[in-house]
Amino acid sequence: MAKLILSMDGLVLKEIALTKERTTIGRKPHNDIQIDNLAVSGEHAVIVTILQDSFLEDLGSTNGTVVNGASIKKHFLQNNDIIELGKYKLKYLNETPAGVAKAADFEKTMVLRPGSVRPAASVAPAAASAPAAPAAAAAPASAAAKALSDTVAGGTPTSPPAAAKPAAAAQKAAALQLLSGANAGKELDLTKPLTTLGKPGVQVAVITRRPQGFFITHVEGASFPVVNGKPLDAQAHALNDHDVIELAGVKMEFFLKA
């Protein structure tokens, strides 16, 4: 299990296990990791942990977030990374098994050009299968050019909220079909445990393949992804057959394959 070691001037203050999907860091008391120092913003940063991977994002803090001496906005955490918040340091420890995603896999964005993903075959048209959803405020259509990227991860998934109804058993295959932009009609098979979607710096989400089904979780960006016309929150959301997802200006349909 991943954890953080909080220290100041070489003195270890506490150890924090990353057991939650979102772990907030800041000066205000409601944060999961409270650092009562004026150099730390009220809501300074957040760590999103999905399966074995953790993503650090600065929340527009006044003094910024530094990892291994470099200022970051978002960062894929790796074992022994040092997060600096003023005089405080957080050491990230995670002895990840071999085969888990590397930072480069998360940072890259796959450009969808004709032929980069296979065209839809015998899938029913999305417009006929998906319920009408209210139009959400969309980003420029050019964002579709950098709409999807994927990375592999492993580990024990976080349990979804009790009220969520899983979409499918893990053995069922699923895919995404693009509904808007120049690549409309193209498909991306969801064959990996963790698939990263979106445009870094704008809006990023991940779809995880769990024993209970497929779940989408917000990772980066001021606005949350929209599913069937309704914005998501910070928690993982179970995907159901023919759900329509709007992310980084691109509309896509999630569907289960026979």
Side-chain angles (χ1 to χ4, degrees):
M1 178 185 297
K3 62 183 178 180
L4 297 170
I5 306 297
L6 176 64
S7 65
M8 183 180 69
D9 297 330
L11 178 65
V12 174
L13 302 177
K14 64 160 57 173
E15 181 178 306
I16 307 104
L18 295 177
T19 58
K20 298 177 61 177
E21 205 158 72
R22 289 176 65 87
T23 301
T24 58
I25 306 169
R27 192 177 69 253
K28 293 182 179 179
H30 66 261
N31 287 284
D32 299 303
I33 302 175
Q34 183 192 11
I35 300 177
D36 191 8
N37 185 278
L38 291 178
V40 179
S41 296
E43 296 175 349
H44 197 104
V46 63
I47 294 175
V48 178
T49 301
I50 299 174
L51 302 177
Q52 289 279 3
D53 291 329
S54 295
F55 309 88
L56 171 67
E57 180 183 359
D58 182 86
L59 297 177
S61 64
T62 302
N63 295 315
T65 301
V66 173
V67 177
N68 302 330
S71 180
I72 62 94
K73 291 298 181 184
K74 66 177 183 66
H75 178 76
F76 186 107
L77 288 168
Q78 299 181 80
N79 191 38
N80 292 319
D81 275 353
I82 303 295
I83 305 166
E84 298 179 51
L85 306 171
K87 294 182 178 180
Y88 290 83
K89 292 184 179 181
L90 287 162
K91 185 174 184 178
Y92 176 77
L93 297 176
N94 184 11
E95 296 182 0
T96 309
V100 177
K102 297 180 180 179
D105 295 325
F106 173 70
E107 297 294 342
K108 73 179 181 180
T109 300
M110 181 174 66
V111 179
L112 292 184
R113 297 188 178 90
S116 62
V117 285
R118 62 184 179 78
S122 58
V123 180
S129 58
S142 61
K146 293 184 178 180
L148 301 175
S149 64
D150 57 30
T151 182
V152 182
T156 305
T158 303
S159 298
K165 294 182 179 179
Q171 55 266 34
K172 283 200 174 183
L176 292 173
Q177 183 179 35
L178 296 179
L179 305 180
S180 65
N183 294 289
K186 299 294 192 302
E187 289 180 16
L188 174 68
D189 289 330
L190 299 174
T191 58
K192 299 176 181 179
L194 180 69
T195 301
T196 305
L197 310 171
K199 184 178 180 182
V202 177
Q203 193 178 39
V204 176
V206 293
I207 292 180
T208 52
R209 182 186 178 111
R210 305 179 179 182
Q212 305 96 331
F214 291 84
F215 292 79
I216 184 170
T217 307
H218 174 75
V219 171
E220 178 192 357
S223 59
F224 288 87
V226 173
V227 176
N228 298 332
K230 182 179 179 181
L232 302 181
D233 55 22
Q235 302 303 314
H237 176 82
L239 288 170
N240 294 292
D241 198 17
H242 300 308
D243 275 353
V244 175
I245 302 166
E246 296 174 61
L247 177 70
V250 177
K251 187 178 289 188
M252 60 198 83
E253 180 192 8
F254 170 85
F255 63 91
L256 299 174
K257 305 181 77 171

